[in-house]
């Protein structure tokens, strides 16, 4: 399969009754515009979420009035320009078929097939256990055989929702399940979507790409061919979504695309175009994290490309292409392995961990029980990672070899929540925290950046009793009262009262534990003292990280990637600014005096792509680099 790079994802969801559908479309002009914009790969439209096909289908409903093969001409013209093409199918939504076949849709637990905001997309959803399944499988098979040179299939809007339709409930009962059990209903839908995607995998074959967008990673193993992380700054994502997902996906999938978009809010914003700084920011985020960029667009119903959009894509992708000698085939270098949950899922805790470690300029991956934990010089168990089975065995092996571990919140406990799972955690478990208002204090001057006063705890966790093995880092302070209503007063003001003797943070040997869910708390309440507490623990457990920085702000991101004979340091200064309900990237912050120190012994250091030499000096294991002036982003290469 080809290397995925400089992609564009096209939506083409077209409402009914457009009288001039495709009137401006020229496949040759379309493909040449993409080629001139340095685009190398595209996802294009076979069937949209309204339910219309854009090719002469014998199974589905071609858009009324479309009198030519839009998909076929696009594939042929793009291939003539050397551009790869994946055919897009929306499989979670098909409003045209849904209105004709009510029995093909999900029935919610109120017995409705239409619900929610009917001016949006997801007010009715297709049931994958219904005859819809064979209908859409037939269309996918039709495209694969009609266009044998298509490079892959993109399945969109796989949203696993429970269906309470009679057929699904009968199926649950026939399998021995309880139709009144919400978990059984959800699991039945989950199994249906997973087996459906496997059927598509069989149709598509081993030599084409397949992306089941929305199918959870733990269900998509062996089905998807690569990762595409759909993430717009607006909508339901935001800038905290991508970092954790790419840190996980790059350790699971052979290739990863960051699918951002030209929109400020969400998909379908025809009148929106992000700033160039914003699009560059997202592309820099991709390559700095061993991924490649994909920019989303929505084609106008008449079929013409907006010139300002592709003028912007051309400028950005020309620079991305110039950096490809140092990005293609690169993999991330990371000190810290963050563990996914036992079910191989990610949560707000993982997003919080990615944000905090990113602000601290620490290098990290997210891994699970399939990975070699010994590849990491430190492990982090964020908030909710309990230990059992294979994961417990691997963590026990890691700690037995002296590997340092930081756990937070309920992490490190047994799944039943009744104590720590491994002897490497010799902390006194005193039960769950029952108070919704408490604080922590650190010994005077012991933790740089933590004020010498009680610091509020945003989310309760567990109570840790002191033991002879545990070195205290922070102590719990109770409040005068919880946030409660007692019939007379609402207790909003709950000042700190006195220390309780319980620990909030402690270290025993190579294991440290913070007793409240630090990472989820920081995602909602980003107190600098939380970050300082984390930084203190990391410095105790990992005194010589692979990367150190000086004079670079917390808003910047610094990462390392690796090719065969060189290490690449990425410094990204752009960062989002909240404006109204959106976050905007505008302009390129400048760094004048900054340093990075990398555990490496390079023969030369230079800036890519212009190859300008960058001064450095070697001190023991570290190459300390005096950074040149940086405007927005820089790639510094350390040749072995």
């Amino acid at each position: 399969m080809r290397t995925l790079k400089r992609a564009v994802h096209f939506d083409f969801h077209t409402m009914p009754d457009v009288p001039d559908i495709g009137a401006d479309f020229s496949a040759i002009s379309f493909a040449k515009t993409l080629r001139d914009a340095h685009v190398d790969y595209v996802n294009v439209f076979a069937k949209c979420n309204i339910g219309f096909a854009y090719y002469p289908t014998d199974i589905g409903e071609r858009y009324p009035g479309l009198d030519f093969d839009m998909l076929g001409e696009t594939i042929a013209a793009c291939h003539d320009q050397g551009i790869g093409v994946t055919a897009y199918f929306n499989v979670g939504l098909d409003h045209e078929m849904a209105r004709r076949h009510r029995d093909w849709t999900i029935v919610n637990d109120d017995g409705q097939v239409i619900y929610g905001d009917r001016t949006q997309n997801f007010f009715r959803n297709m049931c994958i256990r219904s005859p819809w399944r064979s209908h859409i499988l037939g269309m996918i098979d039709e495209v694969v055989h009609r266009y044998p040179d298509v490079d892959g299939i993109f399945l969109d809007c796989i949203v696993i929702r429970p269906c309470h339709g009679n057929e699904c409930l009968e199926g649950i009962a026939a399998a021995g399940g309880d139709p009144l059990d919400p978990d059984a209903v959800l699991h039945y839908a989950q199994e249906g979507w997973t087996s459906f995607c496997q059927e598509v995998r069989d149709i598509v074959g081993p030599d084409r790409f397949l992306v089941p967008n929305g199918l959870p990673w733990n269900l998509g193993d062996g089905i998807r061919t690569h990762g595409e992380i759909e993430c717009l700054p607006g909508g339901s994502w935001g800038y905290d979504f991508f970092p954790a997902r790419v840190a996980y996906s790059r350790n699971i999938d052979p290739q990863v695309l960051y699918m951002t978009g030209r929109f400020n809010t969400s998909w379908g914003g025809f009148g929106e175009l992000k700033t160039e700084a914003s699009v560059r920011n997202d592309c820099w985020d991709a390559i700095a994290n061993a991924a490649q960029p994909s920019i989303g667009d929505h084609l106008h119903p008449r079929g013409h490309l907006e010139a300002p959009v592709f003028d912007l894509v051309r400028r950005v992708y020309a620079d991305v292409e110039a950096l490809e000698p140092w990005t293609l085939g690169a993999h991330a270098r990371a000190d810290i392995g963050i563990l996914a949950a036992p079910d191989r899922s990610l949560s707000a805790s993982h997003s919080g961990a990615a944000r905090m470690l990113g602000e601290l300029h620490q290098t990290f991956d997210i891994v699970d029980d399939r990975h070699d934990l010994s590849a990491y010089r430190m492990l982090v168990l964020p908030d909710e990672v309990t230990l059992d089975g294979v994961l417990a065995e691997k963590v026990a092996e890691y700690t037995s070899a002296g590997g340092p571990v930081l756990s937070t919140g309920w992490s490190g406990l047994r799944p039943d929540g009744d104590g720590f799972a491994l002897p490497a955690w010799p902390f006194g478990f005193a039960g769950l925290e029952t108070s919704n208002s408490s604080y922590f204090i650190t010994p005077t001057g012991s933790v740089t950046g933590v004020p010498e006063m009680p610091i509020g705890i945003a989310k309760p966790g567990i109570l840790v009793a002191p033991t002879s093995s545990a070195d205290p880092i922070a102590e719990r302070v109770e409040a005068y009262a919880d946030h409660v209503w007692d019939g007379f007063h609402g207790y909003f003001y709950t000042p700190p009262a006195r220390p309780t003797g319980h620990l909030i943070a402690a270290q025993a040997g190579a294991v440290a534990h913070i007793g409240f869910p630090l990472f989820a708390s920081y995602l909602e309440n980003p107190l600098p003292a939380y970050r300082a507490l984390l930084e203190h623990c990391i410095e105790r457990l990992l005194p010589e990280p692979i990367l150190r920085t000086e004079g670079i702000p917390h808003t910047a991101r610094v990462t390392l990637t690796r090719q065969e004979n060189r290490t690449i340091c990425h410094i990204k200064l752009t960062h989002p600014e909240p404006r109204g309900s959106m976050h905007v990237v505008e302009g390129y912050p400048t760094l004048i005096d900054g340093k990075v120190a990398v555990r490496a012994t390079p023969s030369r250091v230079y800036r890519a792509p212009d190859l300008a030499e960058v001064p450095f000096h070697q001190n023991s294991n570290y190459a300390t680099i005096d950074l040149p002036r940086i405007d927005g982003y820089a790639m510094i290469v350390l040749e072995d």
Side-chain angles (χ1 to χ4, degrees), residues 510-521:
V511 175
H513 186 79
I514 296 173
F516 69 99
L518 175 74
F519 298 113
S521 297

Side-chain angles (χ1 to χ4, degrees), residues 288-463:
N289 284 283
Q292 292 296 319
S294 175
I295 300 172
D297 190 17
H298 198 303
L299 191 68
H300 190 279
R302 288 195 296 273
H304 62 267
L305 297 172
E306 298 288 0
V309 173
F310 282 89
D311 286 344
L312 172 58
V313 172
R314 173 179 50 78
R315 293 192 299 272
V316 173
Y317 271 0
D319 290 345
V320 169
E321 185 175 18
L323 292 171
E324 285 176 354
W326 299 273
T327 63
L328 296 182
H331 62 272
R333 291 192 70 182
D335 269 331
I336 299 173
I338 304 172
L339 290 185
D343 64 357
R344 298 176 179 172
S345 66
L346 303 187
S347 67
S349 300
H350 294 89
S351 294
R355 168 170 276 277
M356 295 186 83
L357 293 174
E359 290 181 0
L360 293 173
H361 306 153
Q362 294 287 343
T363 58
F364 62 91
D365 280 336
I366 296 181
V367 292
D368 58 36
D369 59 5
R370 294 170 290 185
H371 293 97
D372 176 14
L373 303 186
S374 68
Y376 299 95
R377 300 175 63 227
M378 177 179 167
L379 296 182
V380 169
L381 281 60
D383 296 355
E384 301 170 310
V385 181
T386 56
L387 295 177
D388 192 22
V390 173
L391 187 60
E393 292 174 5
K394 287 201 165 189
V395 173
E397 183 179 357
Y398 184 87
T399 55
S400 296
V405 180
L406 171 66
S407 54
T408 61
W410 305 277
S411 287
L413 299 180
R414 293 189 291 268
D416 61 10
D418 189 24
F420 288 102
L422 300 175
W425 274 258
F427 307 108
F429 176 69
L432 300 180
E433 168 72 89
T434 58
S435 172
N436 65 13
S437 180
S438 60
Y439 300 80
F440 71 83
I441 56 173
T442 57
T444 301
S446 64
V447 180
T448 302
V450 175
E452 294 176 7
M453 59 177 279
I455 303 299
I457 294 175
K459 295 175 178 290
I462 68 171
L463 297 174

Side-chain angles (χ1 to χ4, degrees), residues 599-619:
R599 283 176 60 93
T601 54
S603 60
R604 63 181 289 232
V605 176
Y606 59 90
R607 182 170 181 159
D610 61 8
L611 307 182
E613 296 290 326
V614 176
F616 74 99
H617 62 273
Q618 194 75 39
N619 182 11

Side-chain angles (χ1 to χ4, degrees), residues 101-437:
H101 301 278
R102 291 190 301 276
D103 56 325
W104 289 10
T105 63
I106 285 174
V107 179
N108 72 7
D109 56 0
D110 289 326
Q112 300 168 307
V113 297
I114 297 179
Y115 34 82
D117 185 348
R118 301 178 192 187
T119 67
Q120 296 292 317
N121 292 314
F122 290 91
F123 59 86
R124 58 187 164 199
N125 299 264
M126 307 309 290
C127 175
I128 204 60
R129 296 284 191 174
S130 74
W132 158 253
R133 182 186 188 118
S134 59
H135 173 88
I136 192 63
L137 284 172
M139 291 186 71
I140 294 168
D141 184 74
E142 181 180 53
V143 163
V144 167
H145 286 89
R146 184 166 294 181
Y147 312 105
D149 58 341
V150 70
D151 296 282
I153 298 292
F154 186 97
L155 307 178
D156 204 8
C157 294
I158 298 176
V159 179
I160 298 175
R161 294 185 173 180
C163 179
H164 298 265
N166 184 64
E167 298 84 357
C168 284
L169 299 184
E170 285 183 347
I172 293 166
D178 180 2
L180 297 178
D181 178 3
D183 290 338
V185 180
L186 181 61
H187 183 68
Y188 192 69
Q190 190 178 75
E191 282 188 333
W193 275 110
T194 305
S195 62
F196 165 79
C197 291
Q198 184 58 62
E199 284 192 69
V200 177
R201 170 77 275 165
D202 295 340
I203 291 170
V204 169
D207 299 324
R208 295 187 183 92
F209 292 113
L210 176 63
V211 176
N213 192 36
L215 188 71
W217 274 321
N218 57 335
L219 302 179
D221 291 344
I223 296 176
R224 66 179 179 274
T225 53
H226 64 282
E228 291 204 29
I229 303 173
E230 179 188 359
C231 173
L232 301 185
S236 59
W237 298 276
Y239 280 103
D240 281 312
F241 184 87
F242 174 74
R245 273 76 192 170
V246 71
Y248 197 18
S249 182
R250 68 192 180 205
N251 295 295
I252 299 172
D253 299 309
Q255 298 188 77
V256 183
L257 290 178
Y258 176 7
M259 187 206 299
T260 182
R262 55 99 159 177
F263 316 102
N264 289 300
T265 53
S266 193
W267 294 100
F270 287 98
E272 299 177 6
L273 180 58
K274 289 195 303 191
T275 66
E276 184 167 327
S278 181
V279 176
R280 288 185 182 277
N281 173 81
D282 298 351
C283 292
W284 291 334
D285 262 339
I287 62 177
N289 284 283
Q292 292 296 319
S294 175
I295 300 172
D297 190 17
H298 198 303
L299 191 68
H300 190 279
R302 288 195 296 273
H304 62 267
L305 297 172
E306 298 288 0
V309 173
F310 282 89
D311 286 344
L312 172 58
V313 172
R314 173 179 50 78
R315 293 192 299 272
V316 173
Y317 271 0
D319 290 345
V320 169
E321 185 175 18
L323 292 171
E324 285 176 354
W326 299 273
T327 63
L328 296 182
H331 62 272
R333 291 192 70 182
D335 269 331
I336 299 173
I338 304 172
L339 290 185
D343 64 357
R344 298 176 179 172
S345 66
L346 303 187
S347 67
S349 300
H350 294 89
S351 294
R355 168 170 276 277
M356 295 186 83
L357 293 174
E359 290 181 0
L360 293 173
H361 306 153
Q362 294 287 343
T363 58
F364 62 91
D365 280 336
I366 296 181
V367 292
D368 58 36
D369 59 5
R370 294 170 290 185
H371 293 97
D372 176 14
L373 303 186
S374 68
Y376 299 95
R377 300 175 63 227
M378 177 179 167
L379 296 182
V380 169
L381 281 60
D383 296 355
E384 301 170 310
V385 181
T386 56
L387 295 177
D388 192 22
V390 173
L391 187 60
E393 292 174 5
K394 287 201 165 189
V395 173
E397 183 179 357
Y398 184 87
T399 55
S400 296
V405 180
L406 171 66
S407 54
T408 61
W410 305 277
S411 287
L413 299 180
R414 293 189 291 268
D416 61 10
D418 189 24
F420 288 102
L422 300 175
W425 274 258
F427 307 108
F429 176 69
L432 300 180
E433 168 72 89
T434 58
S435 172
N436 65 13
S437 180

